C-alpha cells in the first residue's frame, strides 16, 4: 500500500500537506459592511427568514439567532435542543414559527423572540419546511409529511402523496407548493388536498420560493425550475453545477445559494448571474432579503451579509466545525468545514483550532464529512466526490473517485474499500483507492454511514433506508427495517452483529444485517454516531447526549460535560474521542463511563 500511494504522489497529483490559519476562513468579498460578530458558534444554520426586526436564523441543537442588520447576531431562547430546520414569519409580522427534528414546532408571539412555545405537531417525522398563506400555516417534512394549522395550536395531518422528503414549502398565487428530495412537486390551494407530480428528469429539490408571479425551485446539480402555477415547470440555466440549497425572492430579485459558497441572482428567474466566483468550500443553505440587506446562512455558523448583492462580508466562523473523527494508537484526526483535517494536540504546542492542530486541507476547501482508518490507510471523504488518502495522517493525496456526489462514510471488507454517499452512491476500490468503481442498483436515497461486520457490509441513511452486501459489490435492500422512516445517521459492527442509530433516538440491532430489532434508547435526540468498544457500545448525538450499552439492547444515559450536539466518535485502544465542532472535543479513557474535555 505504501508503494501505491507514493506512486500516486509522483504522478502529478496535488499533495495536500499544509493549511493556512483558521482565521483565514473568514469570508470578506469586498464591500464596507462590518464583519459578523456577537454569536460565534459553529452550529450548522439551516434557514434564515426576514422579520419585522430584521432577520431570524435557526440551526442545529436548537440554535435561534436574531439580527437587526445581518451583521450583529444575538442568540435567542428556543425552548428546545432539537435541530431546527426551517423558520418563517407571519405576513403581519406578529408570529415566528420554526420546525425541525422529531416533529418539533416552536412559536414566538413577541417582537423579540422572547418566549418560545413548543406546540404538539402530532408527528415524530422531521419537519423541514414551513410557510403561511391566506391565514393558514403549512409544515412539511419526512416521507411526505404535511401538517396544517389555522391557529398554530392544533395541527392537522394529511395523507402523504409522495414517499420523498419534502424539504421546503412556499405560498403564492393562491396555492402552496412543496418540493421533495425525490424530485416531486406537490400543490394545494388549502393545505388539505394535495396533487403531486414529478417534472421529467428532476433531481433532488431543496427549496422553493414565490415572487413576481412565479414559483422558483432549486436543487442538486444547479437545478433551477420556474412555474406560474406550480404544476407546469420550465428549466432555466443557472450557469452552475453546484447544489442550490436555497432560494428566496425580495427586492425584485430571486437569490439562490448553495455549495462552495455559490450565490446567484436573477430578476426574471430565466437569466442568472453569479455573485461570488470563489471556490471557498463553504456550504451555504438558505438566503433571505429584508429592505436593503441580504443574508445567507450555512455550515459552520456561516452568516454572510450584503447591501447590494455584489459585495458580501461576514464569516464562516473563526473555527470551522468538525463533522468526523478517527483514531489509532498514535493520533486522533478530525475533518469538517472548509476541507480542514486536524489532529488532536494534547501538548498544545502547535494548537491552532481549539484543541486541534491544522494538518491539511482538501483541494478547493471542499467540506469533508468523515475520516476513517483502514489498515495503514487514512481515508477522508466529502463534498463533490472528494476522497483523500494518507499513510501517515499528515500528507493527504487526492484520489480520483469518478463521482461528483457528496460522500459520507467509508469501510473496508477484506481488501475492498467501500465508500457511500448521496443519491444511493456506492463506490468500491481494491487497490487502496487508486481506482474506484460505482456500484449500480443501490437506490437513490442518501447513505450516511456504512460498516463491515460478521455478515457483510451494511449501509444506512435517509428515511431509514438500509442496504446490505456480502462483498461490497452486490447489494440488496433490507426489507422493512424497523426504523419507522427515521433517518439513520450511523452504523457500527463488532464480531457479534450491528447497531444503527438515528433520528428520534432510534437504535436498531441485528446479528445478520437482514433482520433488525428496534430498541428503546431513552432519548428523543437524534443520535449521530455509534461505535463498538471493548465492553459494548456507545452512541452520541443532540444535546450532548451520550448513551452506553453492554449488549446493544439495554441503553443508559452517561453524564455529559456538554450540551453541544456531538457529531462523531472514534475509539483506539482504551481511548474514545467525540467531537462537537471545534471548541468541543470530549475524551474518555475508561471505556466511556466518564468523559471530560479533550486536550
Amino acid at each position: 500500500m505504501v508503494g501505491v500511494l507514493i506512486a500516486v504522489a509522483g504522478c502529478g497529483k496535488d499533495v495536500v500537506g499544509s493549511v493556512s490559519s483558521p482565521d483565514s476562513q473568514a469570508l470578506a468579498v469586498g464591500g464596507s459592511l462590518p464583519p459578523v460578530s456577537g454569536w460565534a458558534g459553529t452550529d450548522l444554520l439551516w434557514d434564515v427568514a426576514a422579520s419585522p426586526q430584521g432577520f431570524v436564523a435557526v440551526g442545529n441543537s436548537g440554535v435561534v439567532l436574531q439580527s437587526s442588520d445581518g451583521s450583529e447576531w444575538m442568540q435567542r431562547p428556543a425552548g428546545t435542543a432539537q435541530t431546527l430546520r426551517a423558520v418563517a414569519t407571519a405576513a403581519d409580522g406578529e408570529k415566528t414559527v420554526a420546525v425541525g427534528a422529531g416533529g418539533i414546532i416552536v412559536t414566538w408571539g413577541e417582537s423579540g423572540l422572547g418566549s418560545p412555545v413548543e406546540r404538539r405537531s402530532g408527528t415524530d417525522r422531521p419537519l423541514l419546511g414551513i410557510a403561511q398563506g391566506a391565514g393558514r400555516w403549512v409544515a412539511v417534512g419526512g416521507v411526505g409529511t404535511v401538517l396544517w394549522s389555522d391557529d398554530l395550536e392544533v395541527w392537522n395531518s394529511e395523507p402523504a402523496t409522495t414517499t420523498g422528503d419534502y424539504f421546503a414549502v412556499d405560498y403564492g398565487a393562491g396555492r402552496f407548493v412543496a418540493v421533495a428530495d425525490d424530485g416531486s412537486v406537490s400543490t394545494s390551494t388549502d393545505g388539505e388536498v394535495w396533487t403531486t407530480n414529478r417534472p421529467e428528469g428532476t433531481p433532488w429539490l431543496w427549496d422553493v420560493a414565490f415572487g413576481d408571479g412565479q414559483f422558483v425551485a432549486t436543487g442538486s446539480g444547479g437545478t433551477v425550475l420556474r412555474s406560474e402555477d406550480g404544476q407546469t415547470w420550465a428549466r432555466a440555466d443557472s450557469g452552475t453545477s453546484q447544489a442550490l440549497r436555497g432560494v428566496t425572492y425580495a427586492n425584485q430579485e430571486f437569490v439562490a445559494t448553495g455549495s462552495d459558497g455559490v450565490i446567484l441572482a436573477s430578476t426574471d428567474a430565466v437569466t442568472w448571474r453569479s455573485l461570488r466566483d470563489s471556490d471557498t468550500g463553504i456550504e451555504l443553505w438558505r438566503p433571505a432579503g429584508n429592505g436593503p440587506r441580504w443574508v445567507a446562512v450555512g455550515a459552520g455558523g456561516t452568516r454572510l451579509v450584503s447591501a447590494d448583492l455584489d459585495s458580501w462580508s461576514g464569516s464562516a466562523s473563526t473555527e470551522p466545525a468538525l463533522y468526523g473523527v478517527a483514531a489509532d494508537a498514535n493520533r486522533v484526526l478530525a475533518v469538517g468545514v472548509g476541507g480542514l483535517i486536524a489532529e488532536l494536540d494534547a501538548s498544545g504546542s502547535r494548537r491552532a483550532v481549539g484543541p486541534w492542530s491544522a494538518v491539511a486541507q482538501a483541494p478547493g476547501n471542499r467540506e469533508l464529512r468523515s475520516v476513517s482508518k483502514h489498515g495503514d490507510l487514512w481515508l477522508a471523504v466529502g463534498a463533490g466526490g472528494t476522497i483523500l488518502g494518507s499513510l501517515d495522517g499528515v500528507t493527504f493525496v487526492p484520489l480520483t473517485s469518478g463521482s461528483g456526489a457528496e460522500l459520507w462514510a467509508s469501510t473496508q471488507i477484506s481488501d475492498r474499500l467501500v465508500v457511500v454517499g448521496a443519491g444511493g452512491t456506492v463506490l468500491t476500490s481494491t487497490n487502496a483507492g487508486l481506482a474506484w468503481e460505482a456500484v449500480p442498483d443501490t437506490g437513490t436515497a442518501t447513505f450516511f454511514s456504512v460498516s463491515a461486520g460478521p455478515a457483510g457490509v451494511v449501509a444506512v441513511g435517509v428515511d431509514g433506508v438500509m442496504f446490505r452486501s456480502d462483498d461490497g459489490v452486490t447489494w440488496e435492500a433490507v426489507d422493512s427495517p424497523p426504523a419507522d422512516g427515521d433517518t439513520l445517521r450511523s452504523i457500527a459492527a463488532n464480531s457479534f452483529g450491528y447497531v444503527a442509530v438515528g433520528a428520534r433516538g432510534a437504535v436498531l440491532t441485528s446479528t445478520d444485517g437482514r433482520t433488525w430489532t428496534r430498541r428503546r434508547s431513552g432519548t428523543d435526540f437524534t443520535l449521530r454516531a455509534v461505535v463498538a468498544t471493548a465492553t459494548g457500545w456507545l452512541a452520541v448525538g443532540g444535546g450532548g447526549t451520550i448513551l452506553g450499552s453492554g449488549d446493544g439492547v439495554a441503553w443508559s444515559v452517561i453524564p455529559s460535560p456538554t450540551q453541544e450536539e456531538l457529531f462523531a466518535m472514534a475509539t483506539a485502544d482504551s481511548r474514545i474521542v467525540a467531537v462537537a465542532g471545534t471548541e468541543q472535543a470530549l475524551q474518555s479513557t475508561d471505556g466511556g463511563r466518564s468523559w471530560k474535555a479533550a486536550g
Side-chain angles (χ1 to χ4, degrees):
M1 188 176 294
V2 174
V4 170
L5 281 179
I6 289 176
V8 172
C11 290
K13 293 283 186 179
D14 294 330
V15 177
V16 188
S18 64
V19 64
S20 58
S21 163
D23 289 335
S24 68
Q25 292 295 320
L27 304 178
V29 191
S32 59
L33 292 175
V36 173
S37 61
W39 182 83
T42 58
D43 297 276
L44 190 158
L45 299 176
W46 291 97
D47 197 13
V48 61
S51 73
Q53 295 76 41
F55 298 94
V56 56
V58 297
N60 281 354
S61 302
V63 166
V64 176
L65 306 177
Q66 187 176 34
S67 174
S68 62
D69 59 5
S71 296
E72 300 290 337
W73 294 82
M74 178 181 296
Q75 187 164 2
R76 307 299 296 176
T80 180
Q82 292 275 37
T83 290
L84 297 174
R85 292 292 301 267
V87 63
T89 56
D92 60 8
E94 292 297 318
K95 297 283 186 178
T96 298
V97 183
V99 299
I104 187 79
I105 298 176
V106 181
T107 67
W108 294 264
E110 309 178 7
S111 59
L113 299 181
S115 300
V117 177
E118 183 175 340
R119 306 293 184 178
R120 293 184 178 273
S121 68
T123 182
D124 293 321
R125 305 281 190 198
L127 297 176
L128 309 177
I130 179 73
Q132 186 201 38
R136 175 163 288 182
W137 291 89
V138 169
V140 298
V143 201
T145 297
V146 175
L147 307 177
W148 61 270
S149 175
D150 292 329
D151 59 8
L152 294 178
E153 296 182 10
V154 177
W155 289 83
N156 306 276
S157 64
E158 298 299 333
T161 57
T162 179
T163 58
D165 289 345
Y166 288 124
F167 267 67
V169 61
D170 203 4
Y171 181 85
R175 70 189 65 215
F176 293 94
V177 173
V179 297
D181 61 356
D182 63 356
S184 60
V185 180
S186 302
T187 62
S188 173
T189 57
D190 59 7
E192 300 180 42
V193 179
W194 291 79
T195 300
T196 297
N197 66 85
R198 181 176 182 179
E200 184 177 355
T202 302
W204 186 319
L205 295 176
W206 286 98
D207 201 5
V208 62
F210 181 82
D212 193 29
Q214 61 184 323
F215 291 93
V216 171
T218 58
S220 62
T223 297
V224 173
L225 304 176
R226 57 190 182 86
S227 172
E228 293 183 358
D229 59 8
Q231 298 175 336
T232 302
W233 295 82
R235 292 181 178 273
D237 184 1
S238 68
T240 183
S241 61
Q242 299 287 358
L244 297 175
R245 294 194 173 101
V247 64
T248 192
Y249 182 82
N251 307 327
Q252 298 181 318
E253 293 260 13
F254 288 98
V255 172
T257 53
S259 296
D260 286 340
V262 65
I263 303 179
L264 309 177
S266 175
T267 57
D268 59 8
V270 177
T271 303
W272 293 80
R273 65 187 190 277
S274 175
L275 304 179
R276 299 182 72 244
D277 296 327
S278 58
D279 181 10
T280 65
I282 299 303
E283 297 295 314
L284 296 178
W285 282 87
R286 286 182 174 164
N290 194 354
R293 293 293 178 102
W294 295 86
V295 168
V297 299
T302 297
R303 287 141 293 145
L304 303 182
V305 60
S306 175
D308 57 10
L309 287 181
D310 292 320
S311 300
W312 293 79
S313 65
S315 176
S317 83
T318 57
E319 298 178 351
L322 299 174
Y323 294 144
V325 64
D328 66 8
N330 299 313
R331 66 180 68 229
V332 177
L333 295 183
V335 299
V337 169
L340 179 67
I341 302 174
E343 180 178 3
L344 188 62
D345 182 13
S347 68
S349 60
R350 51 190 178 89
R351 193 169 295 173
V353 187
W356 302 88
S357 296
V359 170
Q361 201 153 23
N365 299 346
R366 290 190 179 275
E367 187 169 277
L368 296 174
R369 285 295 181 179
S370 73
V371 60
S372 302
K373 184 76 181 292
H374 307 300
D376 295 329
L377 178 66
W378 295 89
L379 205 66
V381 302
T386 299
I387 302 179
L388 306 176
S390 174
L391 291 174
D392 59 8
V394 177
T395 301
F396 280 79
V397 177
L399 303 173
T400 302
S401 69
S403 172
E406 185 169 29
L407 304 178
W408 280 84
S410 66
T411 192
Q412 183 175 20
I413 182 168
S414 299
D415 65 346
R416 178 171 285 113
L417 297 171
V418 179
V419 171
V420 300
T425 299
V426 177
L427 307 176
T428 66
S429 174
T430 55
N431 57 3
L434 272 181
W436 294 86
E437 293 185 7
V439 176
D441 303 324
T442 50
T444 58
T446 292
F447 293 124
F448 286 127
S449 185
V450 63
S451 185
V457 186
V458 179
V460 299
V462 170
D463 298 335
V465 67
M466 187 179 291
F467 275 67
R468 67 161 304 278
S469 172
D470 291 328
D471 56 8
V473 177
T474 303
W475 293 75
E476 61 180 358
V478 175
D479 292 332
S480 303
D484 297 329
D486 290 326
T487 290
L488 298 174
R489 298 304 306 247
S490 180
I491 185 171
N494 62 15
S495 59
F496 300 104
Y498 307 82
V499 172
V501 301
R504 291 196 303 139
V507 174
L508 281 63
T509 64
S510 175
T511 57
D512 60 8
R514 291 183 173 88
T515 304
W516 292 79
T517 302
R518 184 155 185 157
R519 308 297 183 179
R520 187 182 299 274
S521 68
T523 183
D524 290 327
F525 281 110
T526 293
L527 297 175
R528 291 191 171 270
V530 61
V531 296
T533 69
T535 58
W537 306 86
L538 290 170
V540 298
T545 299
I546 304 175
L547 304 179
S549 175
D551 56 7
V553 176
W555 293 78
S556 59
V557 176
I558 297 172
S560 173
T562 183
Q563 292 185 337
E564 294 294 321
E565 187 164 29
L566 297 170
F567 287 104
M569 184 168 42
T571 64
D573 298 327
S574 61
R575 189 184 196 188
I576 307 169
V577 176
V579 295
T582 54
E583 288 296 333
Q584 292 280 351
L586 306 184
Q587 178 176 271
S588 174
T589 57
D590 60 5
R593 292 188 296 274
S594 63
W595 294 78
K596 63 180 181 179

